[in-house]
């Protein structure tokens, strides 16, 4: 431990204050792996009302905390200096790119130890190397080295995470954990207000456009979820009767069974009926949209700005006019209060495939049939979590019953998200049972976090799509570098000491495995589905076909 440091401040201890603020903001779990530079803070955590969740690897902690934040509003990772911190840098990048408010806490050598720049273990170049890396990956960062400002800094950084829905970084030198900080005045509400005149103007222009339109449509995206505006969206849809589509990142911001719901819009990757409706609209209201390549069906989307209203936390544009200083939340709430024409409900064909699934005994399972079957397997308390690859593309066509029951890293797309995310989701909301969809390649990266599920008594159902390789890449350019050595995945429960494993090759075997996974609720189930290495989902097939048409 570092040398003792005494402060004359009379406020709470710095470490304790951080814990109390996190608790007050709704956090109950902290994901991570300890190390000597953070052991003092782990001790404080252990004595607190927050539960430490040990993962196998820091990356697992990062993804779990990201998913926890998406469900609960704030997630926390706590790791040791550099060896831990730099391992979660990728998860911080994902949380930044996909707008997830995660607090990354790292221990560090004590301030006194850092004097004269000694070569202490875990140091990379300078003592602030890790902080500099995280400055690039977060919206706010701080080192709690000064008791005069430490408590205020904690508040500043946590506010930034909540305001921007993006990650932040807090470094806590080990000789500052129990040092008292200077108490400060904390303003009750730091919410940014919109400029009232600009807000009024923008709403007036939007309402004229919406009321004049013959075929308006709402496209709901990820920020509706991150800013907790699902209810406002629902009210807007029900008040105006305007049909609504979601993007893949925004999938499930509105219950997919809602009568005004069109389906997932994803350019050429989505269903043709949805695509036509959205692209033919004379007033496209895009709410919280992230114009990413995957969201836009690898740029096959045809969205005309001259007919669009685009509101996000970063900007508001109506046709070619840009409005400064209008908050996304205020704009959406403003629309709710405005005089919007109520329309006659449009008749929409329900998202397919809702046709009943009939098992063909002995028939080899395909991805298409797997997703068709999973459609009716989902229940009201399932959360679907998709990893990168065909697990994500195939899930596009799944019918998600309720709000916020679909999670995926559909933009940053780092493989290995789904299994650790299931841990974060279920700890954030124990009523939910995660259904993880993961490729064999991604599973080999973080699948061992199933041991964490055992330790914390979680029971995800993991569907492992085993096509013996990086299937998505095979369709772009193939070579032996896309091969993945197959494991006896279904035997993993024997190694881990708990869980149920199933190897599935035919439709009746799948049926049996799903039935047993459903009744086995005490532990996780791992269902390895053995697929043809060139099999692909209908969504991936649609994309390839539509792209070919455009060549
Ligand atoms: C961490 C990481 N490394 C590499 C990639 C590039 N990549 C995108 S999809 C893919 C293949 C995924 O394989 P698998 O998980 O088996 O899913 P499949 O495509 O076979 O359905 C790879 C390697 C990535 N997205 N993330
Ligand atoms: Mg694969």
């Amino acid at each position: 431990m570092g040398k003792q440091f005494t402060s004359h401040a009379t406020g709470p201890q710095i470490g304790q204050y951080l814990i109390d603020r996190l608790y007050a903001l709704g956090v109950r779990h902290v994901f991570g792996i300890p190390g000597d530079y953070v052991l003092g803070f782990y001790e404080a955590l252990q004595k607190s009302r927050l539960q430490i969740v040990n993962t196998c690897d820091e990356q697992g902690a990062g993804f779990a905390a990201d998913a926890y934040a998406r469900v609960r509003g704030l997630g926390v990772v706590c790791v040791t200096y550099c060896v831990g911190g730099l391992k979660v840098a990728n998860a911080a990048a994902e949380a930044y790119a996909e707008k997830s408010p995660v607090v990354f806490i790292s221990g560090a050598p004590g301030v006194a130890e850092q004097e004269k720049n000694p070569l202490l273990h875990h140091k990379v170049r300078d003592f602030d190397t890790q902080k500099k890396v995280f400055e690039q990956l977060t919206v706010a960062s701080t080192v709690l080295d000064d008791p005069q400002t430490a408590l205020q800094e904690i508040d500043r950084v946590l506010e930034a995470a909540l305001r921007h829905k993006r990650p932040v970084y807090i470094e806590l030198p080990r000789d500052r954990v129990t040092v008292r900080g200077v108490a400060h005045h904390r303003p009750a509400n730091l919410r940014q207000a919109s400029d009232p005149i600009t807000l009024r103007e923008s709403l007036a222009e939007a309402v004229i456009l919406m009321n004049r339109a013959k075929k308006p449509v709402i496209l709901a995206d990820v920020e509706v979820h991150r800013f907790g505006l699902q209810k406002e969206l629902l009210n807007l849809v029900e008040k105006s009767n305007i049909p609504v589509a979601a993007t893949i990142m925004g999938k499930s911001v509105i219950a997919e069974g809602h009568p005004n719901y069109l389906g997932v819009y994803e350019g050429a990757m989505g269903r043709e009926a949805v695509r036509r409706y959205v692209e033919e609209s004379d007033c496209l209201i895009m709410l919280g949209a992230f114009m990413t390549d995957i969201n836009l069906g690898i740029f096959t989307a045809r969205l005309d700005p001259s007919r669009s209203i685009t509101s996000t936390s970063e900007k508001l544009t109506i046709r070619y006019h840009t409005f400064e200083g209008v908050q996304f939340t205020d704009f959406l709430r403003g629309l709710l209060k405005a005089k919007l024409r109520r329309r006659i409900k449009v008749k929409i064909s329900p998202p397919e495939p809702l046709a009943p699934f009939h098992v063909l005994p002995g028939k080899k399972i395909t991805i298409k049939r797997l997703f068709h079957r999973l459609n009716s397997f989902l229940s009201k308390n399932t959360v679907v979590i998709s990893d990168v690859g065909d697990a994500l593309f195939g899930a596009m066509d799944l019918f998600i019953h309720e709000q916020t029951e679909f999670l995926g890293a559909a933009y940053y797309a780092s493989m290995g998200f789904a299994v650790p995310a299931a841990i974060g989701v279920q700890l954030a909301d124990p009523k939910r049972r995660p259904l993880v969809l993961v490729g064999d390649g991604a599973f080999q990266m973080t699948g061992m976090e199933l041991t964490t599920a055992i330790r914390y008594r979680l029971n995800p159902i993991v569907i492992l799509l085993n096509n013996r390789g990086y299937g998505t890449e095979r369709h772009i350019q193939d070579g032996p570098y896309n091969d993945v050595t197959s494991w006896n995945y279904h035997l993993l429960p024997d190694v881990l000491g708990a869980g149920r494993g199933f190897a599935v090759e035919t439709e009746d075997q799948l049926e049996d495995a799903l039935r047993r996974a459903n009744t086995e609720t005490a532990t996780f189930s791992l269902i390895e589905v053995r697929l043809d290495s060139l099999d692909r989902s209908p969504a991936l097939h649609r994309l390839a076909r539509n792209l070919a048409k455009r060549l």
Side-chain angles (χ1 to χ4, degrees), residues 388-390 413-415 439-442 445 467 469-473:
V388 181
D390 224 2
S414 185
M415 286 162 70
D440 52 329
M445 291 184 179
N467 54 8
Y470 302 138
T472 307
E473 297 195 335

Side-chain angles (χ1 to χ4, degrees), residues 59 90 367 387-391 412-416 438-443 445 465 467-473 482 484:
Q59 176 163 250
N90 182 53
I367 292 203
D387 215 295
V388 181
D390 224 2
Y412 187 67
S414 185
M415 286 162 70
V438 57
D440 52 329
F443 186 85
M445 291 184 179
L465 282 63
N467 54 8
R468 282 161 281 118
Y470 302 138
T472 307
E473 297 195 335
N482 285 329
V484 170

Side-chain angles (χ1 to χ4, degrees), residues 256-532:
E256 298 201 303
H258 192 281
N260 288 46
Y261 182 66
L262 284 169
V264 174
Y265 170 74
E266 208 184 5
M269 276 174 87
R271 287 196 306 136
E272 191 55 28
V274 184
R275 172 192 170 98
R276 218 174 310 118
Y277 201 99
V278 170
E279 295 185 359
E280 285 172 2
S281 165
D282 55 350
C283 179
L284 174 63
I285 306 137
M286 286 192 273
L287 299 176
F290 250 38
M291 308 302 272
T292 72
D293 52 356
I294 293 184
N295 249 355
L296 298 177
I298 320 290
F299 296 124
T300 55
R302 296 285 175 267
L303 304 175
D304 181 354
S306 72
R307 296 183 244 159
S308 302
I309 299 171
T310 309
S311 178
T312 70
S313 67
E314 279 157 38
K315 66 167 194 179
L316 169 65
T317 50
I318 300 178
R319 303 207 291 181
Y320 292 105
H321 308 157
T322 299
F323 295 84
E324 298 290 337
V326 177
Q327 298 294 312
F328 177 43
T329 308
D330 292 336
F331 183 72
L332 186 48
R333 294 200 175 132
L335 284 182
L336 274 177
K337 284 196 219 124
K339 282 207 174 71
L340 286 179
R341 202 173 111 201
R342 188 173 163 77
R343 291 159 186 278
I344 301 165
K345 214 186 92 45
V346 182
K347 219 170 146 24
I348 298 160
S349 58
E352 59 187 347
L354 285 182
F357 181 87
H358 300 292
V359 181
L360 302 172
K363 185 159 190 310
K364 189 160 168 36
I365 189 77
T366 61
I367 292 203
K368 183 176 178 183
R369 292 281 288 170
L370 168 69
F371 277 100
H372 189 171
R373 174 62 189 97
L374 289 178
N375 230 348
S376 51
F377 182 70
L378 307 183
S379 78
K380 288 212 163 200
N381 66 358
T382 314
V383 188
V384 177
I385 306 170
S386 281
D387 215 295
V388 181
D390 224 2
L392 180 71
F393 299 129
M396 257 183 66
D397 293 330
L398 285 179
F399 177 81
I400 308 292
H401 297 260
E402 302 274 309
Q403 274 172 14
T404 314
E405 288 189 337
F406 178 77
L407 283 184
Y411 170 47
Y412 187 67
S414 185
M415 286 162 70
F417 173 73
V419 171
I423 289 157
V425 164
Q426 214 173 16
L427 288 170
D429 184 355
K431 291 193 298 296
R432 302 293 181 88
R433 188 167 192 196
L435 180 77
V436 172
L437 301 167
V438 57
D440 52 329
F443 186 85
Q444 289 198 6
M445 291 184 179
T446 56
M448 73 272 204
E449 295 295 355
L450 281 175
T451 192
T452 313
I454 297 170
R455 177 163 167 180
Y456 297 96
R457 300 179 188 286
L458 308 173
N459 64 355
I461 298 176
V462 178
I463 311 270
L464 193 153
L465 282 63
N466 184 9
N467 54 8
R468 282 161 281 118
Y470 302 138
T472 307
E473 297 195 335
R474 282 200 206 283
H475 296 287
I476 307 169
Q477 176 186 299
D478 204 6
Y481 42 76
N482 285 329
D483 295 342
V484 170
T485 307
S486 204
W487 296 353
N488 285 321
Y489 296 97
H490 66 291
L491 299 180
L492 266 179
D494 290 350
V495 176
L496 302 180
R500 294 281 170 268
F502 306 91
V504 163
E505 293 191 29
T506 61
E507 293 196 357
D508 46 317
Q509 286 169 353
L510 173 68
E511 205 55 34
D512 183 53
L514 289 174
R515 189 177 43 75
R516 287 167 59 193
N518 230 355
T519 48
E520 173 64 84
T521 53
T523 180
F524 76 83
S525 288
L526 175 61
I527 304 177
E528 177 203 346
V529 182
R530 294 181 180 160
L531 298 158
D532 189 275

